[in-house]
Amino acid sequence: MKLIRRTAHLMVVTFLALGSGQACAAPDKQPRVAFINPGYGTHGFWKDVSDTMHAAARQFGFDIVEFDSDRRWPLMAENANRVFMMDPPPDYIIAVNEHQQGGRIVIEANARHIPIFMLLNDLTEEQKSRLGRAGHNLPYWIATLTPDNEKAGFDIARSLVEAEQQLHPGTKKRDICLLSLAGDSNTPASLDRMEGLDVALGKFPQLKEKRRLVVNWSYDEAYKRTATWLQDGCLDAVWAANDDIARGAIAAIVKAGKVPGKDVVVGGLNWSAKGLKLVKDGQMTMTHGGHFLAGAWIMVMLNDFHHGIDLQGRGPNYSFPMQALTRDNVDRFEAVFGQRNWDVVDFSKFGLVGQKDKNAGYHFDLDHLFAAVKN
């Protein structure tokens, strides 16, 4: 288990409303947030999530205590135990329903009266039917923040069709041999992306899915499975559940003597630095994403709740759009955020605290992100 603790230096006075009572944190007490990170804290997508979370926490005055699980669900379960053994307990918990491990964490947090926020992967409907729902029989489950993964899955598939049409202008709809590489078969985000893919397969009949493979979010596995498929199967397009998977497929395509972006079109997701480069080079149609900013968005919501905003009454289920970075807009993004320095963003601009409009909602999107850049 790896634990990362980064301390911000602002102090916050809070009035925390739960049910009919209120609890007031001491003026000199810096709120501690335990983040059970299902992934790696040193690289990859979950590092990006962590980085944006810590950037927002520094601005709002929260202390993040992070437990990295390295994409191993047994370690994630152990880290949950460590969180519940913290003395004193954390003021808040942020958890993820990766591999559907979130149900037990929600139950344990409610039993201990610790407000909990679910991030990126909500509990499934089956879990909710069995365990309960936020704000009802689980009052300390405050809110859930998830991206629109289904639309992302659809958009990746659509980008493959459009790229194929550009490569073969003036021809009738030709069949496109598609290899689909999914992340896993349990995580809600993965399942939702595949649902979006299924919608696209119905809308674009020229997409002929030849095989759908689960590659466990792995570059290496994506490389091996794509290389094996290329030995016998036809391949015009690869739908990849994230950028690491897309990069593994691209490496196999190059190894087979084909040109990604010309012989085979590939679409991915994550807004990763390597994914952005592949988009610029024309080897990927797009990298969908922006959802790693959910680390910052959940801190915006937690800060609002900390200052008395009734998130359960407004929600408790919140969603935000993911957006595509393509050759049309990738340069602008890199010019501002290419160094991954999220401290340049004023995250208070996204909060509801102090807003005069009582019906104001959240605007977690790319345009508002650019608008919130300091100076």
Side-chain angles (χ1 to χ4, degrees):
M1 184 277 294
K2 288 178 286 184
L3 181 150
I4 300 174
R5 184 186 184 114
R6 307 179 199 173
T7 304
H9 301 288
L10 300 176
M11 300 301 173
V12 181
V13 180
T14 182
F15 292 90
L16 172 61
L18 278 174
S20 59
Q22 286 187 326
C24 179
D28 61 346
K29 181 178 182 293
Q30 186 177 35
R32 289 195 309 163
V33 181
F35 172 40
I36 305 172
N37 182 353
Y40 295 92
T42 57
H43 64 276
F45 171 75
W46 286 103
K47 179 185 184 299
D48 285 337
V49 174
S50 173
D51 286 349
T52 66
M53 183 183 295
H54 285 283
R58 285 190 292 272
Q59 294 183 22
F60 293 129
F62 290 91
D63 177 17
I64 304 289
V65 184
E66 181 175 327
F67 298 80
D68 298 327
S69 304
D70 299 348
R71 285 203 179 275
R72 292 187 285 141
W73 73 260
L75 179 54
M76 185 176 166
E78 291 177 20
N79 283 336
N81 290 338
R82 292 183 175 96
V83 167
F84 293 122
M85 291 172 62
M86 289 174 65
D87 187 16
D91 297 290
Y92 302 100
I93 294 172
I94 297 173
V96 183
N97 193 30
E98 190 92 350
H99 294 289
Q100 300 190 24
Q101 295 296 305
R104 172 246 173 168
I105 299 173
V106 169
I107 294 297
E108 294 278 359
N110 272 264
R112 290 165 172 77
H113 294 185
I114 303 173
I116 182 168
F117 291 72
M118 294 302 294
L119 178 66
L120 286 168
N121 283 298
D122 193 5
L123 266 62
T124 66
E125 281 303 311
E126 186 278 329
Q127 286 176 301
K128 291 178 183 178
S129 297
R130 177 165 45 88
L131 302 174
R133 298 177 184 273
H136 294 280
N137 53 326
L138 295 172
Y140 285 83
W141 180 5
I142 305 305
T144 296
L145 179 65
T146 56
D148 189 346
N149 279 293
E150 184 174 335
K151 183 177 185 300
F154 177 88
D155 286 348
I156 294 170
R158 180 174 59 185
S159 77
L160 300 175
V161 174
E162 293 172 348
E164 267 283 316
Q165 290 173 343
Q166 291 175 4
L167 288 171
H168 303 91
T171 62
K172 293 183 178 180
K173 292 181 180 178
R174 62 191 292 271
D175 288 350
I176 302 170
C177 292
L178 175 68
L179 176 64
S180 302
L181 299 177
D184 65 53
S185 56
N186 294 307
T187 299
S190 180
L191 298 173
D192 287 347
R193 288 173 202 175
M194 285 189 280
E195 281 192 21
L197 169 60
D198 288 336
V199 173
L201 291 173
K203 185 175 179 61
F204 305 109
Q206 64 267 46
L207 270 180
K208 305 297 184 183
E209 187 179 43
K210 299 301 182 179
R211 188 66 60 87
R212 183 176 300 191
L213 303 171
V214 173
V215 296
N216 298 306
W217 307 107
S218 167
Y219 170 101
D220 290 335
E221 195 164 341
Y223 172 85
K224 293 174 184 176
R225 302 302 291 272
T226 304
T228 300
W229 176 256
L230 279 165
Q231 293 174 8
D232 300 306
C234 68
L235 186 61
D236 299 311
V238 176
W239 181 98
N242 74 3
D243 285 351
D244 281 349
I245 293 172
R247 291 194 305 109
I250 286 171
I253 291 165
V254 172
K255 181 71 172 179
K258 296 179 180 293
V259 179
K262 293 184 178 179
D263 298 323
V264 183
V265 294
V266 182
L269 184 152
N270 265 10
W271 285 10
S272 68
K274 292 179 179 177
L276 295 178
K277 185 177 186 305
L278 291 171
V279 170
K280 291 182 70 171
D281 293 344
Q283 297 185 65
M284 279 173 56
T285 59
M286 67 159 61
T287 175
H288 218 289
H291 55 316
F292 60 73
L293 283 156
W297 305 150
I298 201 69
M299 290 308 304
V300 170
M301 295 174 63
L302 194 153
N303 184 64
D304 282 344
F305 177 75
H306 194 68
H307 286 85
I309 300 295
D310 181 11
L311 294 182
Q312 286 184 341
R314 288 168 167 264
N317 299 312
Y318 295 81
S319 181
F320 66 97
M322 286 194 281
Q323 295 169 271
L325 291 179
T326 68
R327 298 184 82 174
D328 294 331
N329 61 359
V330 65
D331 287 336
R332 183 190 180 201
F333 179 86
E334 284 207 314
V336 181
F337 301 116
Q339 300 301 313
R340 291 302 211 254
N341 177 17
W342 304 111
D343 291 321
V344 303
V345 179
D346 181 358
F347 289 106
S348 68
K349 299 285 188 182
F350 297 91
L352 304 181
V353 173
Q355 288 207 25
K356 295 180 181 180
D357 182 1
K358 299 302 180 183
N359 296 317
Y362 290 116
H363 298 285
F364 298 146
D365 57 58
L366 190 55
D367 287 341
H368 285 84
L369 184 69
F370 282 122
V373 173
K374 300 173 184 176
N375 299 323

